[in-house]
């Protein structure tokens, strides 16, 4: 009777939220308490797979470290696909809704704003709840993000500008189609500017709101997911698990960019026949189509995350074999307060390795963010490639090298187990190599593309284009025999329109082509519809080669950087520290960087898609000046990050990445414990 009462007393003590150190119980009683904690208090339900009707004994064999790595990596792949798809279609969105690059940069940081506001708080309070289910909730917000973004097309349609460039437009209203074509010509009797469709602020606000929603899911997934992986695996396995999950996640941008390239090859209204080719800068692809595919894939990922247990069976067995010190060191959820959180913040600010490593990452992200978001746009403007080709090169080709870099680094870390100093040194070397590669970008220019910045933008006072009535007419470029592109036939001084035997539109009587060898009054002064052909393919291939090399080298530092971040803090601070780091990175890097580089790109715009009084998207840039300004600015920030990584190298001399006592025997014991747990799992939940 006395023994039974003592057991009941111990079980009751486990229901208390916290046991002070002076009242610590004996080792034997502590072991009994630990068993009750997982087997008596919750009956081991924290290690059960599934939820609702999606559960059963057959699922219990899936509650393994390997299965979580695969699931986490694939879910991260889907999330990365959504952000890559947005970056790949951003130039199409700018053209469709007349959005300046600076504004599109602000839109793209919406997810980082919400990540900044929620990451630390969610990491602190949700870090000790059912983390996989919280990650599933985050993925449901990603589903909403995909559906909200695609719904713009169904609300606003393809747009009048896109419909005017289809064959069906002329068949429906030939008179209106003729008027539209005549707007490109010089009309001495007309007065005033021709009003174009105004840029709409509602779609811009809609896109920004969708990005805000996605940031909550991003914060939950990355903050909780990495901590869950590290807590449920032995330290010797963590590098390989991180590398494998990172590799799977990095397939996301590859697939996302490929999906974008496929969708952008279709016209924005696939049922209509366009009159222009994909190489024409006015081409608008079916940007909205991929979001429907991504919404379905994200929903499936959310359901799979919901099925994972709160704690892996193998992790529970390891925890029971160790002393139950974590229970005393970490406050339970119902005793957590804002003051405790601020005390943890103060502790982290005194951790020099954590601070320097975080700041080095922030500077690297600030500089490299320009390429993550604007690389397709950079390729389109610098090397005159189509949107589909730009997204394919950025995603499928370049990111494949990123995935290879992650796998190679993960294998090297797992096999050779380098010290913390070696890892920090490698991070610094990667930063300096990246700076050298970016300086190569400056030298990889295309003369034909740079020559387009001499495009004639004559003022209204010039007799040649005075009948255009304003500086900014509808952008409809034409090419002269001297391979000079003009904004429109009107700016080339053309007064007539005809068609040749191939069906191409030819503008004649073009008085502004004074650079040709023929006299201005000659009838042969003509211009062909569309921009002049520019051959930048060789330069484009060189750029892609350098980009692939930088992707390979840069990806090799992802695992080393994350391992230093995970090991430089106590286990009980891990989830919150990751959330705090995400918040600070969003505040200082992810949010201001796209806005800054968007503003920088807009500063070198030559031709704005304007109405008489409103600015829309940019159609043509001063490519040479833009190339220098963009790349040198990015290199400067990454260089500063490299110097901070040297500071990390100095302070991590005593940091231990791997446990010395872990051996092959421990790994076999973990496997044996895991198999016993699966065999002893209850048949029903």
């Amino acid at each position: 009777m006395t023994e039974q009462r003592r057991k009941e007393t111990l079980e009751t003590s486990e229901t208390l939220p916290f046991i002070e150190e002076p009242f610590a119980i004996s080792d034997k009683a502590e072991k009994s308490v630990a068993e009750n904690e997982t087997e008596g208090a919750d009956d081991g339900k924290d290690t059960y797979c599934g939820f609702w009707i999606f559960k059963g004994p057959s699922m219990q064999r899936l509650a393994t470290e390997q299965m979580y790595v695969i699931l986490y990596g694939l879910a991260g792949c889907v999330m990365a696909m959504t952000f890559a798809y947005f970056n790949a279609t951003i130039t199409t969105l700018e053209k469709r809704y007349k959005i300046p690059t600076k504004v599109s940069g602000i839109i793209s940081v919406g997810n980082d704003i919400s990540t900044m506001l929620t990451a630390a708080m969610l990491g602190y309070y949700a870090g000790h709840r059912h983390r996989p289910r919280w990650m599933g909730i985050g993925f449901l917000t990603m589903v909403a993000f995909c559906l909200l973004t695609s719904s713009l097309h169904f609300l606003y349609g393809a747009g009048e500008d896109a419909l005017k460039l289809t064959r069906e437009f002329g068949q429906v209203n030939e008179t209106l189609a003729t008027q539209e074509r005549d707007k490109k010509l010089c009309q001495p009797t007309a007065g005033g500017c021709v009003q174009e469709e105004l840029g709409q602020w509602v779609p811009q606000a809609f896109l920004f709101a969708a990005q805000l929603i996605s940031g909550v899911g991003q914060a939950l997934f990355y903050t909780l997911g990495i901590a869950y992986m590290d807590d449920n695996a032995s330290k010797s396995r963590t590098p390989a698990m991180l590398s494998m999950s990172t590799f799977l996640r990095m397939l996301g941008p590859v697939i996302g960019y490929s999906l974008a390239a496929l969708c952008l090859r279709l016209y924005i209204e696939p049922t209509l026949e366009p009159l222009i080719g994909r190489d024409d800068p006015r081409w608008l692809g079916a940007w909205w189509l991929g979001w429907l595919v991504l919404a379905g894939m994200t929903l499936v990922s959310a359901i799979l995350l919901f099925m994972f247990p709160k704690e892996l069976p193998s992790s529970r067995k390891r925890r029971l074999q160790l002393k139950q010190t974590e229970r005393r060191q970490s406050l339970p959820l119902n005793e957590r307060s804002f003051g405790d959180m601020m005390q943890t913040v103060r502790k982290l600010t005194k951790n020099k390795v954590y601070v320097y490593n975080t700041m080095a990452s922030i500077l690297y992200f600030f500089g490299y963010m320009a390429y993550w978001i604007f690389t397709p746009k950079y390729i389109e403007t610098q090397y005159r490639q189509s949107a589909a080709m730009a997204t394919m090169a950025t995603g499928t080709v370049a990111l494949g090298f990123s995935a290879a870099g992650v796998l190679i680094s993960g294998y090297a870390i797992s096999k050779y187990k380098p010290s913390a100093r070696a890892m920090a040194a490698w991070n610094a070397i990667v930063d300096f190599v990246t700076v050298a590669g970016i300086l190569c970008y400056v030298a990889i220019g295309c003369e034909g593309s740079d020559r387009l910045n001499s495009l004639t933008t004559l003022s209204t006072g010039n007799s040649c284009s005075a009948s255009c009535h304003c500086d900014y007419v509808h952008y409809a470029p034409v090419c002269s025999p001297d391979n000079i592109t003009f904004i429109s036939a009107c700016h080339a001084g053309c007064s007539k329109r005809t068609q040749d035997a191939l069906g191409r539109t030819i503008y004649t009587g073009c008085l502004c082509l004074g650079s040709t060898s023929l006299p201005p009054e000659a009838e042969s002064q003509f211009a062909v519809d569309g921009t002049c052909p520019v051959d930048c393919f060789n330069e484009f291939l060189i750029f892609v080669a350098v980009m692939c090399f930088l992707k390979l080298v840069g990806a090799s530092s992802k695992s080393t950087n994350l391992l230093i971040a995970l090991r430089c803090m106590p286990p009980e601070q891990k989830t919150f520290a990751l959330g705090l780091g995400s918040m600070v990175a969003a505040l200082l890097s992810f949010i201001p960087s796209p806005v800054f580089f968007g503003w920088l790109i807009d500063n070198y715009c030559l031709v704005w898609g304007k109405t008489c009084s409103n600015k829309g998207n940019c159609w043509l840039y001063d490519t040479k000046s833009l190339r220098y300004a963009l790349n040198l600015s990015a290199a400067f920030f990454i260089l500063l990050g490299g110097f901070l990584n040297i500071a990390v190298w100095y302070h991590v001399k005593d940091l231990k990445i791997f446990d010395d006592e872990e051996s092959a025997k421990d790994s076999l014991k973990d496997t044996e414990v895991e198999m016993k747990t699966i065999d002893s799992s209850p048949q029903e939940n």
Side-chain angles (χ1 to χ4, degrees), residues 364 367-368 371 426-441 546 549-557 631 634-636 638-639:
Y364 180 86
Y368 216 79
Y371 304 104
W426 177 250
N427 291 341
I429 292 172
V430 168
D431 285 347
F432 296 135
V433 171
T434 301
V435 171
I438 291 176
L439 294 180
C440 292
Y441 286 167
V546 176
F549 173 75
L550 292 185
K551 291 285 187 181
L552 178 68
V553 174
S556 65
S557 66
N631 293 310
F636 172 75
I638 297 175
L639 183 64

Side-chain angles (χ1 to χ4, degrees), residues 218-471:
Q218 179 179 248
L220 285 168
F221 181 75
Y222 288 114
T223 302
L224 303 181
I226 294 177
Y228 182 87
M229 180 189 301
D230 196 50
D231 289 343
N232 286 273
S234 58
K235 288 187 177 182
S236 62
R237 295 179 180 178
T238 301
M241 294 175 67
L242 284 174
S243 297
M244 178 56 66
S245 63
T246 304
F247 168 74
L248 292 174
R249 286 204 310 270
M250 295 193 70
L251 295 179
V254 176
I255 302 173
Y257 278 107
S258 300
L259 178 62
L262 180 63
C263 293
L264 293 178
R265 290 180 65 86
L266 302 174
Y267 200 58
I268 189 171
E269 194 61 58
T271 58
L272 303 180
E273 181 184 355
L275 297 174
I276 58 175
R278 299 187 186 98
D279 294 334
D280 194 296
R282 294 167 292 173
W283 175 275
L284 295 180
W287 63 270
W288 53 273
L289 192 58
W291 289 113
L292 302 179
V293 178
L294 292 172
M297 298 178 66
T298 307
L299 181 60
V300 173
S301 300
I303 295 174
L304 293 177
L305 285 172
F306 267 102
M307 293 182 180
F308 233 79
K310 182 178 180 180
E311 183 181 24
L312 293 179
S314 58
S315 175
R316 184 184 67 170
K317 289 297 182 181
R318 275 196 304 270
R319 180 169 55 84
L320 292 178
Q321 291 173 354
L322 300 174
K323 292 181 179 180
Q324 302 296 311
T325 55
E326 185 177 355
R327 180 170 52 85
R328 298 193 188 99
Q329 294 173 351
S330 181
L331 282 173
L333 184 64
N334 58 356
E335 290 193 4
R336 292 174 181 271
S337 65
F338 183 76
D340 297 324
M341 184 174 68
M342 295 309 298
Q343 184 178 2
T344 305
V345 172
R346 286 192 292 271
K347 291 179 181 178
L348 289 174
T349 55
K350 296 178 181 179
N351 189 329
K352 292 184 179 180
V353 176
Y354 174 77
V355 171
Y356 287 134
N357 190 61
T358 301
M359 293 305 299
S361 300
I362 286 172
L363 287 169
Y364 180 86
F365 290 148
F366 194 102
Y368 216 79
M369 184 67 66
Y371 304 104
W372 284 338
I373 296 179
F374 299 120
T375 292
K377 186 183 186 74
Y378 184 87
I379 293 175
E380 289 181 50
T381 57
Q382 291 287 333
Y383 306 109
R384 302 297 158 183
Q385 301 299 310
S386 66
M389 176 64 76
T391 55
M392 183 64 71
T394 305
T396 304
V397 179
L399 291 178
F401 282 82
S402 294
V406 170
L407 283 182
I408 294 172
S409 64
Y411 172 77
I413 293 172
S414 299
K415 181 176 181 179
Y416 298 106
K417 292 182 171 53
S419 64
R421 272 203 154 182
M423 292 184 179
W426 177 250
N427 291 341
I429 292 172
V430 168
D431 285 347
F432 296 135
V433 171
T434 301
V435 171
I438 291 176
L439 294 180
C440 292
Y441 286 167
V442 178
I444 306 173
C446 178
E447 183 180 354
S449 180
D450 294 341
R451 193 167 55 244
L452 281 179
N453 63 14
S454 62
L455 155 68
T456 307
T457 55
L458 300 175
S459 64
T460 55
N462 189 290
S463 59
C464 204
S465 60
S467 56
C468 294
H469 310 294
C470 64
D471 290 334

